[in-house]
Amino acid sequence: MGYAKTAMLMAAMTALFMGLGYLMGGATGMVIALIFAAGMNVYSWWNSDKMVLRMHNAHLVAPGDRAGLNALVGQLAKNADLPMPAVYLIDTPQPNAFATGRNPENAAVAVTAGLMQSLSREELSGVIAHELAHIKHRDTAIMTVTASFAGAISMLANFALFFGGSRERMGIMGTLAMMFLAPMAAALVQMAISRTREYAADKEGAAICGNPLWLAAALQRIEAGARRVENVAAERNPATAHMFIINPLSGHGADNLFATHPSTENRVAALRQMAGGAGARRERAAPAPATGDWSGARSMPKVRRKSKNGPWG
Protein backbone atom coordinates (compact mmCIF):
# COMPACT_ATOMS: atom_id res chain seq x y z
CA MET A 1 0.00 0.00 0.00
CA GLY A 2 1.34 3.41 -0.96
CA TYR A 3 1.43 6.52 1.17
CA ALA A 4 -1.66 7.93 -0.59
CA LYS A 5 -3.77 4.99 0.55
CA THR A 6 -2.33 5.28 4.05
CA ALA A 7 -3.32 8.94 4.13
CA MET A 8 -6.84 7.96 3.10
CA LEU A 9 -7.03 5.42 5.91
CA MET A 10 -5.82 7.98 8.43
CA ALA A 11 -8.40 10.46 7.13
CA ALA A 12 -11.08 7.81 7.60
CA MET A 13 -9.92 7.32 11.20
CA THR A 14 -10.12 11.06 11.82
CA ALA A 15 -13.59 11.21 10.26
CA LEU A 16 -14.73 8.33 12.45
CA PHE A 17 -13.38 10.10 15.51
CA MET A 18 -15.15 13.33 14.59
CA GLY A 19 -18.36 11.49 13.66
CA LEU A 20 -18.53 9.88 17.07
CA GLY A 21 -17.97 13.29 18.62
CA TYR A 22 -20.88 14.66 16.57
CA LEU A 23 -23.20 11.87 17.66
CA MET A 24 -22.32 12.53 21.27
CA GLY A 25 -22.46 16.33 21.24
CA GLY A 26 -23.48 17.66 17.86
CA ALA A 27 -21.31 20.26 16.11
CA THR A 28 -19.68 21.21 19.40
CA GLY A 29 -18.79 17.58 20.08
CA MET A 30 -17.31 17.25 16.61
CA VAL A 31 -15.09 20.30 17.12
CA ILE A 32 -13.98 19.05 20.52
CA ALA A 33 -13.16 15.65 19.01
CA LEU A 34 -11.11 17.32 16.26
CA ILE A 35 -9.16 19.42 18.77
CA PHE A 36 -8.58 16.36 20.93
CA ALA A 37 -7.41 14.37 17.90
CA ALA A 38 -4.97 17.12 16.90
CA GLY A 39 -3.53 17.30 20.42
CA MET A 40 -3.26 13.54 20.60
CA ASN A 41 -1.39 13.43 17.30
CA VAL A 42 1.09 16.07 18.42
CA TYR A 43 1.74 14.26 21.69
CA SER A 44 2.10 10.91 19.91
CA TRP A 45 4.49 12.41 17.35
CA TRP A 46 6.93 13.62 20.00
CA ASN A 47 6.52 10.82 22.55
CA SER A 48 5.61 7.68 20.60
CA ASP A 49 8.87 5.87 21.30
CA LYS A 50 8.84 6.64 25.02
CA MET A 51 5.18 5.62 25.41
CA VAL A 52 5.51 2.24 23.73
CA LEU A 53 8.83 1.35 25.33
CA ARG A 54 7.44 2.21 28.75
CA MET A 55 4.36 0.09 28.14
CA HIS A 56 6.55 -2.93 27.49
CA ASN A 57 9.10 -2.31 30.27
CA ALA A 58 11.96 -2.10 27.79
CA HIS A 59 15.55 -1.53 29.01
CA LEU A 60 18.23 0.28 27.05
CA VAL A 61 21.05 -1.98 25.86
CA ALA A 62 24.40 -0.28 26.47
CA PRO A 63 26.95 -0.02 23.63
CA GLY A 64 29.50 -2.82 23.68
CA ASP A 65 27.06 -5.38 25.15
CA ARG A 66 28.55 -8.83 25.38
CA ALA A 67 26.02 -10.37 22.99
CA GLY A 68 27.06 -7.91 20.27
CA LEU A 69 23.47 -6.75 19.75
CA ASN A 70 24.38 -3.08 19.33
CA ALA A 71 27.14 -4.00 16.88
CA LEU A 72 24.73 -6.11 14.83
CA VAL A 73 22.11 -3.34 14.74
CA GLY A 74 24.79 -0.81 13.82
CA GLN A 75 26.01 -2.88 10.88
CA LEU A 76 22.50 -3.41 9.55
CA ALA A 77 21.65 0.27 10.02
CA LYS A 78 24.73 1.09 7.95
CA ASN A 79 23.50 -1.31 5.25
CA ALA A 80 20.15 0.50 5.28
CA ASP A 81 21.82 3.94 5.19
CA LEU A 82 20.13 4.85 8.49
CA PRO A 83 21.36 6.55 11.67
CA MET A 84 22.08 4.16 14.53
CA PRO A 85 18.82 3.65 16.46
CA ALA A 86 18.62 3.10 20.20
CA VAL A 87 18.50 -0.60 21.09
CA TYR A 88 16.21 -1.97 23.81
CA LEU A 89 15.60 -5.32 25.45
CA ILE A 90 12.10 -6.34 26.57
CA ASP A 91 11.90 -8.65 29.56
CA THR A 92 9.58 -11.31 28.17
CA PRO A 93 10.28 -14.89 27.08
CA GLN A 94 8.05 -14.57 23.99
CA PRO A 95 10.20 -14.12 20.85
CA ASN A 96 9.20 -10.85 19.16
CA ALA A 97 10.41 -7.38 18.18
CA PHE A 98 9.21 -3.95 17.11
CA ALA A 99 10.51 -0.51 16.10
CA THR A 100 9.23 2.87 17.22
CA GLY A 101 10.09 6.56 16.94
CA ARG A 102 8.84 9.57 15.02
CA ASN A 103 11.64 9.52 12.39
CA PRO A 104 14.93 7.76 11.59
CA GLU A 105 16.87 10.25 13.71
CA ASN A 106 14.76 9.45 16.80
CA ALA A 107 14.11 5.74 16.40
CA ALA A 108 14.46 2.68 18.57
CA VAL A 109 14.53 -1.06 17.92
CA ALA A 110 13.31 -3.34 20.71
CA VAL A 111 13.79 -7.10 20.85
CA THR A 112 12.59 -9.52 23.50
CA ALA A 113 14.76 -11.77 25.63
CA GLY A 114 12.93 -14.70 24.08
CA LEU A 115 14.01 -13.58 20.61
CA MET A 116 17.66 -13.41 21.66
CA GLN A 117 17.48 -16.88 23.16
CA SER A 118 15.65 -18.63 20.32
CA LEU A 119 17.09 -17.29 17.04
CA SER A 120 20.40 -17.74 15.31
CA ARG A 121 22.49 -14.68 14.47
CA GLU A 122 21.35 -14.88 10.84
CA GLU A 123 17.68 -15.07 11.79
CA LEU A 124 18.07 -12.20 14.25
CA SER A 125 19.69 -10.19 11.46
CA GLY A 126 16.59 -10.72 9.34
CA VAL A 127 14.29 -9.56 12.15
CA ILE A 128 16.31 -6.44 12.92
CA ALA A 129 16.54 -5.63 9.20
CA HIS A 130 12.73 -5.85 9.01
CA GLU A 131 12.37 -3.38 11.88
CA LEU A 132 14.93 -1.05 10.30
CA ALA A 133 12.83 -1.17 7.12
CA HIS A 134 9.86 0.14 9.13
CA ILE A 135 12.06 3.00 10.35
CA LYS A 136 13.31 3.71 6.83
CA HIS A 137 9.75 3.79 5.47
CA ARG A 138 8.68 6.00 8.41
CA ASP A 139 6.03 3.48 9.36
CA THR A 140 6.70 3.75 13.08
CA ALA A 141 5.09 7.16 13.57
CA ILE A 142 2.07 6.25 11.44
CA MET A 143 1.48 2.99 13.30
CA THR A 144 1.78 4.65 16.71
CA VAL A 145 -0.61 7.48 15.82
CA THR A 146 -3.06 4.90 14.47
CA ALA A 147 -2.89 2.99 17.75
CA SER A 148 -3.59 6.23 19.63
CA PHE A 149 -6.62 6.93 17.45
CA ALA A 150 -7.96 3.42 17.96
CA GLY A 151 -7.63 3.70 21.72
CA ALA A 152 -9.24 7.14 21.82
CA ILE A 153 -12.17 6.04 19.66
CA SER A 154 -12.79 3.10 21.96
CA MET A 155 -12.73 5.48 24.91
CA LEU A 156 -15.22 7.86 23.28
CA ALA A 157 -17.51 4.98 22.36
CA ASN A 158 -17.56 3.86 25.99
CA PHE A 159 -18.37 7.43 27.04
CA ALA A 160 -21.32 7.31 24.64
CA LEU A 161 -22.80 4.45 26.63
CA PHE A 162 -22.67 6.35 29.91
CA PHE A 163 -23.51 9.85 28.72
CA GLY A 164 -26.02 8.78 26.11
CA GLY A 165 -24.98 11.20 23.37
CA SER A 166 -27.89 12.96 21.69
CA ARG A 167 -31.08 10.96 22.15
CA GLU A 168 -32.66 12.84 19.23
CA ARG A 169 -29.86 11.80 16.87
CA MET A 170 -29.37 8.14 17.73
CA GLY A 171 -31.34 7.03 20.77
CA ILE A 172 -30.27 4.39 23.25
CA MET A 173 -29.93 1.67 20.60
CA GLY A 174 -27.73 3.93 18.51
CA THR A 175 -25.61 4.67 21.55
CA LEU A 176 -25.17 0.96 22.22
CA ALA A 177 -24.36 0.30 18.56
CA MET A 178 -21.68 3.01 18.52
CA MET A 179 -20.13 1.57 21.66
CA PHE A 180 -19.42 -1.66 19.78
CA LEU A 181 -19.12 -0.58 16.15
CA ALA A 182 -16.83 2.45 16.54
CA PRO A 183 -13.97 0.54 18.23
CA MET A 184 -14.39 -2.24 15.65
CA ALA A 185 -14.13 0.23 12.76
CA ALA A 186 -11.05 1.82 14.34
CA ALA A 187 -9.45 -1.59 14.78
CA LEU A 188 -10.12 -2.48 11.15
CA VAL A 189 -8.34 0.64 9.92
CA GLN A 190 -5.48 -0.05 12.32
CA MET A 191 -5.18 -3.63 11.08
CA ALA A 192 -5.29 -2.61 7.42
CA ILE A 193 -2.37 -0.21 7.89
CA SER A 194 -0.32 -2.81 9.75
CA ARG A 195 -0.95 -5.76 7.44
CA THR A 196 -0.08 -3.98 4.22
CA ARG A 197 3.08 -2.40 5.60
CA GLU A 198 4.45 -5.73 6.83
CA TYR A 199 4.89 -6.99 3.28
CA ALA A 200 6.85 -3.88 2.30
CA ALA A 201 9.03 -4.14 5.41
CA ASP A 202 9.70 -7.84 4.70
CA LYS A 203 10.89 -6.99 1.20
CA GLU A 204 13.12 -4.11 2.28
CA GLY A 205 14.38 -6.04 5.31
CA ALA A 206 15.45 -8.95 3.12
CA ALA A 207 17.48 -6.52 1.01
CA ILE A 208 19.08 -4.97 4.10
CA CYS A 209 20.23 -8.26 5.63
CA GLY A 210 21.12 -9.78 2.26
CA ASN A 211 19.17 -13.05 2.47
CA PRO A 212 15.35 -13.33 2.38
CA LEU A 213 15.51 -16.85 3.79
CA TRP A 214 16.97 -15.60 7.09
CA LEU A 215 13.85 -13.53 7.72
CA ALA A 216 11.57 -16.31 6.45
CA ALA A 217 13.08 -18.77 8.95
CA ALA A 218 12.82 -16.20 11.74
CA LEU A 219 9.15 -15.51 11.06
CA GLN A 220 8.31 -19.20 11.31
CA ARG A 221 10.23 -19.58 14.56
CA ILE A 222 8.71 -16.43 16.09
CA GLU A 223 5.17 -17.46 15.21
CA ALA A 224 5.70 -20.86 16.80
CA GLY A 225 7.03 -19.17 19.94
CA ALA A 226 4.15 -16.67 20.07
CA ARG A 227 1.69 -19.57 20.04
CA ARG A 228 3.30 -21.08 23.14
CA VAL A 229 4.36 -18.09 25.23
CA GLU A 230 2.14 -15.29 26.51
CA ASN A 231 3.30 -11.68 26.27
CA VAL A 232 1.79 -10.14 29.41
CA ALA A 233 2.64 -6.52 28.56
CA ALA A 234 1.12 -6.87 25.08
CA GLU A 235 -2.05 -8.36 26.56
CA ARG A 236 -2.34 -5.28 28.78
CA ASN A 237 -1.77 -2.95 25.80
CA PRO A 238 -3.46 -4.64 22.80
CA ALA A 239 -3.48 -1.39 20.77
CA THR A 240 0.29 -1.86 20.27
CA ALA A 241 0.02 -5.43 18.94
CA HIS A 242 0.24 -4.31 15.29
CA MET A 243 3.70 -2.85 15.90
CA PHE A 244 5.32 -6.25 16.54
CA ILE A 245 6.79 -8.33 13.73
CA ILE A 246 4.39 -11.17 14.67
CA ASN A 247 1.09 -10.69 16.50
CA PRO A 248 2.00 -11.04 20.21
CA LEU A 249 -1.60 -11.66 21.31
CA SER A 250 -2.28 -14.97 19.59
CA GLY A 251 -0.77 -17.56 17.30
CA HIS A 252 -3.46 -17.50 14.61
CA GLY A 253 -2.77 -15.44 11.52
CA ALA A 254 -5.32 -15.91 8.75
CA ASP A 255 -4.74 -13.27 6.10
CA ASN A 256 -8.17 -11.65 6.39
CA LEU A 257 -9.85 -8.44 7.44
CA PHE A 258 -9.68 -9.22 11.15
CA ALA A 259 -5.98 -10.16 11.35
CA THR A 260 -3.54 -7.64 12.80
CA HIS A 261 -0.77 -9.18 10.67
CA PRO A 262 -0.62 -10.89 7.29
CA SER A 263 -0.49 -14.67 7.28
CA THR A 264 3.03 -15.80 8.18
CA GLU A 265 2.72 -18.47 5.51
CA ASN A 266 2.05 -15.80 2.88
CA ARG A 267 4.96 -13.68 4.10
CA VAL A 268 7.34 -16.64 4.03
CA ALA A 269 6.17 -17.57 0.52
CA ALA A 270 6.85 -14.02 -0.69
CA LEU A 271 10.34 -14.05 0.84
CA ARG A 272 11.16 -17.39 -0.75
CA GLN A 273 10.03 -16.01 -4.08
CA MET A 274 12.44 -13.11 -3.55
CA ALA A 275 15.21 -15.65 -3.12
CA GLY A 276 14.78 -16.51 -6.80
CA GLY A 277 12.65 -19.61 -6.39
CA ALA A 278 15.42 -21.34 -4.46
CA GLY A 279 13.70 -20.99 -1.08
CA ALA A 280 12.14 -24.44 -1.11
CA ARG A 281 15.44 -26.12 -2.03
CA ARG A 282 17.48 -24.11 0.49
CA GLU A 283 15.01 -24.38 3.38
CA ARG A 284 17.02 -27.11 5.11
CA ALA A 285 20.11 -24.92 4.89
CA ALA A 286 18.46 -22.12 6.90
CA PRO A 287 20.56 -21.30 9.97
CA ALA A 288 19.85 -23.49 12.98
CA PRO A 289 19.27 -21.68 16.28
CA ALA A 290 22.31 -23.04 18.12
CA THR A 291 25.06 -22.49 15.56
CA GLY A 292 27.98 -20.09 15.22
CA ASP A 293 29.26 -17.43 17.59
CA TRP A 294 25.67 -16.49 18.51
CA SER A 295 25.48 -19.49 20.87
CA GLY A 296 27.05 -17.38 23.62
CA ALA A 297 24.07 -15.01 23.63
CA ARG A 298 21.66 -17.95 23.66
CA SER A 299 23.22 -19.46 26.78
CA MET A 300 22.98 -16.29 28.85
CA PRO A 301 21.08 -16.41 32.14
CA LYS A 302 17.37 -15.63 32.24
CA VAL A 303 16.22 -12.04 32.39
CA ARG A 304 16.72 -10.29 35.72
CA ARG A 305 13.73 -8.06 36.29
CA LYS A 306 15.57 -5.64 38.56
CA SER A 307 18.47 -5.02 36.21
CA LYS A 308 18.47 -1.47 34.85
CA ASN A 309 19.69 -2.42 31.40
CA GLY A 310 18.89 -6.12 31.39
CA PRO A 311 21.44 -8.93 30.88
CA TRP A 312 22.54 -7.49 27.51
CA GLY A 313 23.29 -4.05 28.99
Side-chain angles (χ1 to χ4, degrees):
M1 180 178 61
Y3 283 102
K5 192 171 182 180
T6 301
M8 292 174 62
L9 286 172
M10 294 300 295
M13 186 78 82
T14 302
L16 178 61
F17 194 83
M18 294 174 62
L20 185 56
Y22 177 80
L23 288 173
M24 292 181 63
T28 301
M30 183 173 64
V31 172
I32 293 174
L34 178 60
I35 294 172
F36 184 71
M40 183 176 58
N41 274 330
V42 172
Y43 181 83
S44 297
W45 176 259
W46 291 102
N47 297 280
S48 59
D49 53 342
K50 301 179 184 66
M51 288 191 302
V52 175
L53 293 168
R54 193 180 306 116
M55 287 177 186
H56 293 278
N57 302 312
H59 305 291
L60 184 67
V61 178
D65 60 288
R66 53 179 172 161
L69 182 58
N70 266 284
L72 179 61
V73 173
Q75 181 58 55
L76 291 168
K78 183 178 180 180
N79 292 351
D81 195 25
L82 286 171
M84 175 67 180
V87 182
Y88 285 82
L89 178 74
I90 303 172
D91 295 349
T92 178
Q94 184 191 85
N96 228 315
F98 67 81
T100 186
R102 63 183 182 271
N103 54 38
E105 291 73 32
N106 296 276
V109 172
V111 301
T112 67
L115 191 81
M116 294 287 292
Q117 294 163 355
S118 61
L119 300 191
S120 69
R121 186 180 182 88
E122 291 82 2
E123 291 166 344
L124 184 63
S125 297
V127 171
I128 294 173
H130 170 97
E131 299 306 333
L132 291 174
H134 277 309
I135 295 172
K136 188 171 185 177
H137 294 165
R138 298 179 182 266
D139 296 338
T140 51
I142 294 172
M143 294 166 79
T144 302
V145 170
T146 305
S148 300
F149 263 116
I153 289 171
S154 298
M155 179 185 67
L156 279 181
N158 286 324
F159 283 164
L161 174 66
F162 294 105
F163 295 103
S166 173
R167 294 291 190 269
E168 294 77 12
R169 292 187 182 88
M170 60 182 184
I172 186 63
M173 294 306 296
T175 302
L176 289 171
M178 287 303 298
M179 184 188 71
F180 294 105
L181 295 179
M184 183 180 296
L188 291 177
V189 176
Q190 178 186 21
M191 292 170 187
I193 290 177
S194 174
R195 287 164 50 231
T196 51
R197 289 191 176 278
E198 290 305 315
Y199 285 116
D202 285 346
K203 182 178 180 180
E204 180 71 20
I208 291 171
C209 73
N211 191 331
L213 297 181
W214 293 354
L215 178 55
L219 290 175
Q220 291 177 309
R221 203 179 299 278
I222 295 169
E223 182 183 41
R227 289 178 183 271
R228 297 190 305 267
V229 183
E230 182 183 18
N231 188 325
V232 177
E235 295 291 345
R236 288 198 302 262
N237 303 282
T240 65
H242 67 293
M243 300 182 69
F244 285 82
I245 190 170
I246 291 289
N247 183 7
L249 303 180
S250 66
H252 74 276
D255 200 358
N256 56 49
L257 188 62
F258 295 96
T260 57
H261 290 69
S263 163
T264 299
E265 182 180 357
N266 290 351
R267 294 170 70 182
V268 169
L271 288 164
R272 287 175 175 167
Q273 187 175 9
M274 282 185 63
R281 295 192 300 272
R282 294 171 57 188
E283 181 179 1
R284 294 183 180 180
T291 61
D293 55 9
W294 199 244
S295 58
R298 292 170 47 78
S299 62
M300 288 182 181
K302 293 183 178 180
V303 174
R304 298 188 296 272
R305 292 281 179 182
K306 295 182 180 179
S307 172
K308 182 178 180 181
N309 292 323
W312 284 269

